[in-house]
Amino acid sequence: MKKKITIIGSGFSALAASCYLAKSGHQVTVFEKNAAIGGRARQLKKDGFTFDMGPSWYWMPDVFERFFFDFDKKTTDYYELIKLSPAYRVYYAVDDFIAIADNLPDIIFAFEAIEKGSGKILNEFMAEAKSNYDIAIKKLVYRPGVSPLELVTKETALKMGQFFTNISKEIRKKFKNERLIQILEFPVLFLGAKPSDTPSFYSFMNYADFGLGTWHPKTGMFDVVRAMESLAIELGVTFETNSNIEKIIVENKVAKAIVVNGGTIASDLILSGADYHHTETLLDKEHRAYSEKYWESRVFAPSSLLFYVGFDKKIENISHHALFFDVDFYQHAKDIYDEPQWPKQPLFYANFPSLTDTTAAPEGMESGFFLIPLAPGITDTEELREEYFNKIMDRFETLTKQSVKNNIIFKQSFCKNDFVSEYNSFKGNAYGMANTLLQTAFLRPKLKSKKVKNLYFTGQLTVPGPGVPPALISGKLVSELINKQFLEQ
């Protein structure tokens, strides 16, 4: 039976859900508070430069293919993918960096050159990581987090010990070189927690990295947003931007309507892809499933200080993705998770999309995206932003042996306060709730409201968790729960 469904927000999970629900025959309208769709994956265009404002890594291409296949489509129907070679560089000092190749044999060779015997160990480690990937991404993450029994399978029974040790400990048993250890620990940072707090089963992220490679949609991650929007429109979804949701109206414990820009819009069912905590503040207190104490007790992924920078020349000695690990990796992690504060010496990430995409910057110029992970809820001021920009740019100039600060013709920052104002993000977090052992699968906030009928949630604070591929999966999972409810009525 055709239902009128309202979706709040237009990030990846909401876009995915809109497609699945429209395919099932429902009348779907997506309401986005900002002027453009995409949520954190919006695009910034200024002075001839183009930036992806949020996600910039295209990992797990099989998950994207699986999404479009559900609609008898392929990614190539909408956008072109380029495999990056090298996938990324990791910088440690002047003239000292490691380039991660676009294939596992070359990565194994590079490891062996740095630590004798590590090549064979890496090959064995990657075989285990691939096994975990096949279990996690092909099976476990497509389960809705309703019951702990979802994790109990013949395959996971053999891996159970990996849920009770951490990936940092397991990597350190196998490798001694600190740089190789950091490279192997890096991928789980996408899950929003320290490697020492992340179950070793999550080594499947290493397979996503070394095994499947790093890709780039031809003109940026916003290509994926455009593709999903096109698919949604083909399926009959309607989009309403500049539409701020002020309240969710509940009658007799049933979600009935939303208040948008002062007007009331009735609906048979409401699905929120907006921040979970924020969405619950749109409800009267008695209808909220999770208390403020609950949210305060959760481990959240970091916030970020982002800079979108236009240079009036081409930048040398860089790669499309670059990690700057020239300072203490573990001290920065402590400054995020253990003793939240602005890091004295921040690690940072840089992305130069114009190396791959000539449309990202005017001819002869370069677009650069810089990111510093920060503790959520931290103090955010313009003075601190500028101080930290100068810190990382000084190091960037030293490590890449060039002067660039005087070549900046455009710069825009985005930090904790903007995550709150633009996305209603709890404490200004950038990636959602961390995937620690006690915040995995059925232990995450539920897709279906426990207190209000016909109210559902999707996105990075619920299952499966942070990241773009999990967001696509979250949209699929919640749409299946919704359709199941309608069938049972």
Side-chain angles (χ1 to χ4, degrees):
M1 183 179 175
K2 185 175 183 178
K3 299 288 186 179
K4 183 180 179 182
I5 296 178
T6 291
I7 297 182
I8 303 172
S10 65
F12 281 116
S13 57
L15 289 173
S18 75
C19 292
Y20 285 112
L21 292 167
K23 181 187 176 187
S24 298
H26 303 299
Q27 179 187 339
V28 180
T29 303
V30 175
F31 292 88
E32 166 58 50
K33 73 182 283 287
N34 293 311
I37 70 161
R40 296 166 200 241
R42 289 183 301 160
Q43 192 178 61
L44 171 65
K45 284 181 175 283
K46 189 74 179 289
D47 297 344
F49 295 93
T50 302
F51 305 90
D52 286 314
M53 294 189 70
S56 58
W57 294 77
Y58 192 105
W59 274 7
M60 304 183 189
D62 52 320
V63 175
F64 294 86
E65 290 292 350
R66 183 166 173 175
F67 169 77
F68 285 102
F69 180 78
D70 284 343
F71 303 90
D72 298 319
K73 303 284 188 178
K74 302 185 293 294
T75 57
T76 51
D77 293 332
Y78 297 97
Y79 56 89
E80 178 184 340
L81 282 177
I82 299 165
K83 192 173 190 182
L84 298 181
S85 180
Y88 54 93
R89 284 182 180 181
V90 185
Y91 290 79
Y92 298 99
V94 178
D95 292 325
D96 184 4
F97 65 84
I98 297 173
I100 302 301
D102 65 351
N103 64 89
L104 183 56
D106 283 353
I107 297 171
I108 289 171
F109 181 81
F111 267 54
E112 184 65 26
I114 294 168
E115 180 182 321
K116 189 171 178 57
S118 66
K120 180 175 182 293
I121 295 170
L122 178 62
N123 196 40
E124 294 168 352
F125 177 79
M126 290 303 296
E128 181 72 14
K130 182 181 186 304
S131 171
N132 288 356
Y133 188 91
D134 289 341
I135 294 169
I137 303 303
K138 295 179 181 178
K139 296 177 182 177
L140 292 185
V141 295
Y142 285 92
R143 295 177 180 178
V146 172
S147 164
L149 296 178
E150 293 172 6
L151 297 178
V152 182
T153 68
K154 181 173 64 177
E155 293 90 352
T156 56
L158 299 173
K159 307 272 188 178
M160 198 53 67
Q162 294 186 32
F163 287 93
F164 298 100
T165 184
N166 66 69
I167 194 163
S168 182
K169 183 183 294 184
E170 292 305 304
I171 288 171
R172 288 174 180 278
K173 284 180 184 177
K174 296 174 170 63
F175 302 91
K176 302 305 176 190
N177 183 278
E178 195 62 38
R179 294 182 176 184
L180 300 185
I181 289 169
Q182 288 177 6
I183 290 170
L184 288 168
E185 288 183 336
F186 152 69
V188 302
L189 298 178
F190 284 99
L191 302 172
K194 290 192 301 184
S196 58
D197 291 332
T198 303
S200 66
F201 180 74
Y202 284 100
S203 67
F204 66 73
M205 292 295 292
N206 294 106
Y207 180 73
D209 181 1
F210 291 175
L212 297 176
T214 301
W215 301 76
H216 184 70
K218 187 175 181 179
T219 60
M221 287 294 288
F222 198 69
D223 284 359
V224 186
V225 174
R226 286 195 198 97
M228 297 179 73
E229 178 189 27
S230 295
L231 175 60
I233 290 171
E234 290 172 41
L235 294 164
V237 176
T238 300
F239 289 90
E240 299 288 347
T241 54
N242 295 308
S243 298
N244 185 44
I245 311 301
E246 297 158 4
K247 187 173 181 62
I248 297 172
I249 296 174
V250 177
E251 297 175 3
N252 299 319
K253 298 185 178 180
V254 180
K256 290 291 188 179
I258 55 171
V259 178
V260 185
N261 296 337
T264 300
I265 298 175
S267 181
D268 294 316
L269 184 140
I270 297 166
L271 166 62
S272 179
D275 179 273
Y276 204 124
H277 169 268
H278 169 72
T279 304
E280 287 221 309
T281 68
L282 301 176
L283 298 163
D284 291 334
K285 199 166 185 179
E286 66 268 23
H287 300 311
R288 299 173 191 174
Y290 300 99
S291 66
E292 288 299 315
K293 183 178 179 180
Y294 170 86
W295 292 113
E296 290 290 343
S297 70
R298 298 302 89 187
V299 178
F300 275 83
S303 185
S304 296
L305 171 55
L306 308 170
F307 294 101
Y308 312 102
V309 185
F311 299 93
D312 67 4
K313 69 174 184 177
K314 301 303 289 183
I315 307 299
E316 300 174 349
N317 306 323
I318 53 170
S319 58
H320 185 112
H321 294 295
L323 304 170
F324 291 83
F325 287 0
D326 56 310
V327 297
D328 192 330
F329 185 98
Y330 302 102
Q331 182 58 50
H332 191 154
K334 288 179 183 176
D335 291 340
I336 294 173
Y337 295 103
D338 300 337
E339 299 170 6
Q341 61 184 300
W342 281 81
K344 291 182 177 63
Q345 292 295 327
L347 302 166
F348 68 98
Y349 155 67
N351 168 22
F352 296 91
S354 46
L355 288 180
T356 306
D357 170 19
T358 58
T359 69
E363 186 175 355
M365 301 186 187
E366 207 87 79
S367 59
F369 168 106
F370 297 83
L371 181 153
I372 302 172
L374 297 173
I378 203 164
T379 299
D380 172 18
T381 67
E382 290 298 326
E383 291 76 17
L384 281 165
R385 295 186 191 195
E386 194 64 20
E387 176 188 342
Y388 276 77
F389 181 74
N390 289 323
K391 278 189 178 188
I392 65 172
M393 292 311 295
D394 287 344
R395 284 165 46 205
F396 179 83
E397 289 186 326
T398 299
L399 292 166
T400 61
K401 299 191 298 185
Q402 64 195 305
S403 173
V404 299
K405 284 197 285 187
N406 291 333
N407 298 98
I408 295 171
I409 56 174
F410 168 77
K411 181 183 74 172
Q412 185 167 315
S413 66
F414 196 99
C415 196
K416 187 267 289 186
N417 291 347
D418 302 301
F419 280 101
V420 173
S421 64
E422 295 292 301
Y423 310 130
N424 296 310
S425 172
F426 183 70
K427 291 187 174 181
N429 79 82
Y431 308 108
M433 189 184 290
N435 259 345
T436 60
L437 178 61
L438 297 179
Q439 294 182 172
T440 293
F442 66 96
L443 296 172
R444 297 179 71 81
K446 301 302 182 187
L447 292 165
K448 182 178 181 179
S449 172
K450 295 185 289 186
K451 289 195 172 183
V452 179
K453 187 177 180 181
N454 295 347
L455 176 61
Y456 287 78
F457 300 85
T458 187
Q460 58 189 6
L461 294 189
T462 182
V463 293
V468 178
L472 300 184
I473 295 167
S474 186
K476 179 182 175 76
L477 294 176
V478 74
S479 64
E480 289 173 344
L481 283 184
I482 290 168
N483 282 327
K484 181 182 177 184
Q485 173 187 312
F486 288 147
L487 286 172
E488 291 173 349
Q489 286 179 348

